[in-house]
Amino acid sequence: MPSLLPTPRAGSAVSLVRSVAIITGVAAGLLTTVGWASPTGRGEQAGPATTASWADLRADANRDGNVDLTGDSDTAGGLKTVTELRAGALFLPNLDDDARRCPLKNAKRKALPIQVRARCHDGADTVVNGPADALDLALIKTVPNAQIPDSATATVAVLGRAAARRTHLFRQTPTGWRLHRSGDTITAAELRAGLTFGLEATDIVRDPSVWDGRAYIRLTVTAAGTTHQDIIALRQAPVLSQDTTATLDKLFITATEGGENAATTKPLARIAKAEKIPFAPVAGSVMDTWLQDMYEPALVSMPGPNGTTRSMRILLLSDQNERGADIYAMRGPGVGVLWQGPTTIDNTLDATGNVETLPAYRNATTRHPLGRVMIGYSPAQEAMGALMPSARFRKMLTAQTGIAPLLINTGWLSVGHVDEFLQVLPAKNGGRWKLAVADPVGAWQLIERAVAGGAGKIPAASHRNAFDKRSLAEVTKDRALRKANEYAGTRIAATIAQLKNETGITDADIVKIPVLFREQPNNGEDPSNPEYPNRPAAPKPKPVAKGALNTMSAFLPDAVNGVVIDADRVLVPQQFGPVVGGRDLFADAVSAAYASVGVRAIFIDTYDSYHTGGGEIHCGTNAFRTPLTPWWKMTS
């Protein structure tokens, strides 16, 4: 029977025996007096044979939120040194700012550059910044032992240069937490009473070849010429991007300084109040309009006591030059921001609107209990040309679970983002999640039926600023436009086939939403609005061969590019389609498509604020979501 879990990446510690090999590799020379055995009885002897009776170090290896000092729930079966997604002790990257001490401006009230903002967070200093910051520490304890002789001394150290440079180990004292260094001495009296330590990471795992997120902690007790040691292992909890099946905690939109998107922010505030949607405008400059493209919200968490969860949001900035500096204003208690670092590349595929996450699924051979990230790319045959999203961003995402993002062809689109034609809808009544998919073929059939029904003279787009003023009859006679939608249909069909094969979804799980496309060779923006702030540019479209097509964007506001509120509601851009008999043809069709799976479409005007710039309401908003089930309960 094939494994239902992804194959562990090379070098992962799946047993105590493999852990021994890792420790001796990363800390050669440090274990000169180790005397301990693996569960199989094959240990490494490099000094006098000892027992672990004087040295007993514990962490929350069974992930129940407590450190067991009296039983074996955190030690049985070699659990002390397991560092897998499925089991073993965890610790957090401490990137938030619990005391709100990190400035955004200097003493002269000038905005600090992103490089400076990125250097300040709770893990950047060597103190615990108050009680809230202490909750971000993973607890490590020594078992109290009344038999410790008076002559005993001890040390506790993080092994290996990579882990030691990226972690802080604090010790709890009567006066509070203080940094514990590997050379600090512990007395016999302290050993007899038992000690508590707290571990934090100063960064997330970005490149496993540099640091794989594992930390091995060694307790060494020496007395009367005898050395006793114990080693435990912890793994940094994975930083997981959120999917739309998770509970919506807060919806954000940029309130630009010039009010460029006021036509959307004001009605959104009214809708949020009426629908009881947690909502918060985010102050920013005009270039912050595309909030979805600036960061990908992620969550890192570990078990807390009494069934609680210790969580921190990490906002993963898009890997685009210095875009996202304003997002540091969102940093604070429980919220960190992660910058990828300097880059001279600024292409549209690196925007985080091009990052979406599939919920948990399983296919014929593999189970993905934490879901899988999707990222758009452009193969060589597309008008955008051969182009890949940021390699280091993808490596960072892969490092969290060992599963690389699933690459989706978006090179046929002008902006090139996954959220232009795919959207996950939450499951209802214990069923399976659905996938809302743009349906250009169905959209074309919709307008053809309208013309056949006598509505040919009606304008195809009803917005006052519509860039295409033609009638439905004129649009349906446009062979190039028909071909563009057929072409978009083939590209979307190929992606549906890919996702069926990957996730096991069927046609019953696909919700087809009518979306009409058009060729748009200038990166998605309406040429009638040249002053609109540009989204990060794709490469200039290459000359296309005779009969080939340029990239595509939505003819009417894209009804897939919406915001999932919950299993019953989705926020959708107002269609401004052809009005037949007093009804918007596309609005009714979109509503019916969502209603077919029990979802109510709530419409909002995005035309001038976002549609003319190549995006919609999903592009202009972002959200914090919390999964219903902690991730470690899904992997065990």
Side-chain angles (χ1 to χ4, degrees):
M1 179 179 178
S3 170
L4 293 180
L5 282 173
T7 302
R9 68 177 183 272
S12 63
V14 296
S15 72
L16 184 56
V17 176
R18 295 185 70 183
S19 299
V20 174
I22 292 173
I23 294 170
T24 55
V26 299
L30 289 177
L31 304 185
T32 56
T33 58
V34 169
W36 54 295
S38 74
T40 62
R42 297 188 300 272
E44 294 198 358
Q45 297 290 338
T50 65
T51 69
S53 59
W54 291 354
D56 196 347
L57 205 54
R58 307 279 181 97
D60 180 23
N62 72 342
R63 300 182 181 175
D64 67 353
N66 300 291
V67 179
D68 184 359
L69 296 179
T70 58
D72 65 353
S73 63
D74 287 323
T75 62
L79 196 56
K80 275 190 176 187
T81 51
V82 173
T83 55
E84 293 305 307
L85 280 174
R86 61 178 175 81
L90 301 165
F91 65 108
L92 301 179
N94 200 0
L95 302 186
D96 67 347
D97 180 17
D98 285 313
R100 297 189 183 276
R101 62 184 181 81
C102 295
L104 298 176
K105 298 180 179 180
N106 61 20
K108 296 182 179 180
R109 308 300 297 165
K110 298 292 185 180
L112 293 171
I114 192 170
Q115 295 90 337
V116 177
R117 294 183 178 190
R119 290 198 293 266
C120 186
H121 51 79
D122 283 347
D125 60 18
T126 55
V127 299
V128 175
N129 297 288
D133 194 22
L135 296 178
D136 297 331
L137 302 177
L139 298 184
I140 300 166
K141 298 185 178 184
T142 66
V143 176
N145 189 341
Q147 304 304 314
I148 298 289
D150 291 341
S151 61
T153 59
T155 59
V156 173
V158 179
L159 302 182
R161 180 178 297 179
R165 291 178 61 182
R166 293 168 177 82
T167 59
H168 290 144
L169 186 65
F170 296 96
R171 178 178 162 189
Q172 194 173 43
T173 73
T175 58
W177 294 93
R178 68 174 178 82
L179 184 68
H180 182 87
R181 295 178 171 84
S182 59
D184 291 350
T185 301
I186 297 166
T187 67
E190 291 169 327
L191 287 170
R192 286 194 287 265
L195 297 105
T196 298
F197 297 87
L199 184 70
E200 69 176 12
T202 62
D203 197 2
I204 77 167
V205 181
R206 299 175 186 247
D207 182 350
S209 67
V210 177
W211 180 50
D212 65 1
R214 290 167 170 84
Y216 295 89
I217 315 297
R218 182 181 62 189
L219 168 64
T220 302
V221 181
T222 302
T226 303
T227 296
H228 295 194
Q229 292 188 336
D230 194 21
I231 294 176
I232 61 170
L234 297 91
R235 173 199 177 105
Q236 185 182 118
V239 178
L240 301 173
S241 58
Q242 61 191 26
D243 67 67
T244 52
T245 67
T247 301
L248 177 64
D249 294 321
K250 187 163 287 189
L251 178 64
F252 300 97
I253 193 169
T254 304
T256 60
E257 292 175 353
E260 290 79 6
N261 61 344
T264 298
T265 56
K266 291 181 179 179
L268 180 56
R270 292 193 295 268
I271 290 171
K273 182 178 181 180
E275 296 287 336
K276 295 181 171 57
I277 303 169
F279 172 67
V282 178
S285 68
V286 66
M287 293 305 293
D288 291 345
T289 301
W290 308 105
L291 198 58
Q292 186 71 215
D293 292 345
M294 298 177 70
Y295 67 92
E296 180 67 14
L299 194 69
V300 60
S301 56
M302 66 181 181
N306 304 315
T308 60
T309 298
R310 299 280 170 80
S311 298
M312 185 183 304
R313 299 188 188 278
I314 307 292
L315 311 186
L316 308 174
L317 296 185
S318 63
D319 195 7
Q320 295 175 296
N321 204 344
E322 295 184 8
R323 192 182 195 195
D326 285 347
I327 299 303
Y328 279 92
M330 299 177 72
R331 178 180 51 195
V335 180
V337 180
L338 187 79
W339 182 46
Q340 294 296 318
T343 180
T344 57
I345 300 172
D346 193 14
N347 83 66
T348 184
L349 296 185
D350 292 334
T352 47
N354 192 33
V355 178
E356 295 296 321
T357 302
L358 292 168
Y361 66 89
R362 64 190 300 165
N363 57 34
T365 60
T366 307
R367 183 168 67 97
H368 289 275
L370 303 180
R372 190 174 182 183
V373 174
M374 298 185 292
I375 298 183
Y377 82 109
S378 179
Q381 71 268 22
E382 299 294 358
M384 189 180 286
L387 190 64
M388 292 291 289
S390 165
R392 65 180 176 182
F393 194 86
R394 286 182 287 126
K395 180 179 287 187
M396 178 266 295
L397 292 174
T398 303
Q400 306 312 308
T401 63
I403 305 298
L406 183 66
L407 292 175
I408 301 293
N409 177 10
T410 58
W412 56 277
L413 290 159
S414 297
V415 175
H417 292 181
V418 174
D419 68 352
E420 295 178 74
F421 70 106
L422 295 175
Q423 177 78 277
V424 172
L425 301 176
K428 292 178 70 71
N429 303 320
R432 184 171 189 157
W433 53 266
K434 307 291 185 182
L435 193 64
V437 179
D439 180 16
V441 174
W444 191 265
Q445 293 171 347
L446 185 64
I447 61 174
E448 282 189 325
R449 287 195 299 270
V451 172
K457 294 183 179 180
I458 291 174
S462 56
H463 194 276
R464 63 187 180 281
N465 295 328
F467 53 81
D468 196 319
K469 305 292 186 181
R470 292 180 295 174
S471 69
L472 280 174
E474 291 171 319
V475 167
T476 57
K477 292 176 182 178
D478 187 334
R479 293 182 180 180
L481 188 61
R482 175 194 291 270
K483 184 178 179 181
N485 281 277
E486 290 173 348
Y487 182 79
T490 64
R491 289 297 181 259
I492 293 171
T495 297
I496 292 174
Q498 177 189 6
L499 292 174
K500 284 181 176 179
N501 181 66
E502 170 65 25
T503 68
I505 60 174
T506 67
D507 287 339
D509 303 311
I510 304 296
V511 185
K512 293 186 176 181
I513 309 296
V515 177
L516 202 62
F517 287 92
R518 60 175 177 141
E519 286 189 83
Q520 186 70 28
N522 65 333
N523 194 35
E525 292 198 1
D526 182 358
S528 70
N529 192 5
E531 300 304 318
Y532 200 90
N534 290 328
R535 304 180 81 167
K540 185 177 181 180
K542 62 185 180 181
V544 295
K546 184 178 181 179
L549 298 177
N550 284 301
T551 53
M552 311 280 176
S553 64
F555 183 93
L556 298 172
D558 184 342
V560 171
N561 193 276
V563 177
V564 172
I565 301 168
D566 52 31
D568 302 313
R569 298 172 294 173
V570 62
L571 193 62
V572 176
Q574 180 61 48
Q575 293 298 280
F576 295 106
V579 178
V580 180
R583 304 285 301 181
D584 186 319
L585 193 66
F586 271 77
D588 284 351
V590 167
S591 292
Y594 280 113
S596 70
V597 289
V599 177
R600 175 167 59 94
I602 302 169
F603 290 99
I604 184 169
D605 183 356
T606 64
Y607 205 97
D608 290 333
S609 297
Y610 295 103
H611 178 65
T612 56
E616 310 293 355
I617 190 63
H618 186 262
C619 303
T621 58
N622 219 313
F624 286 173
R625 299 177 186 269
T626 301
L628 298 175
T629 304
W631 69 266
W632 57 88
K633 293 186 177 181
M634 300 176 69
T635 59
S636 58

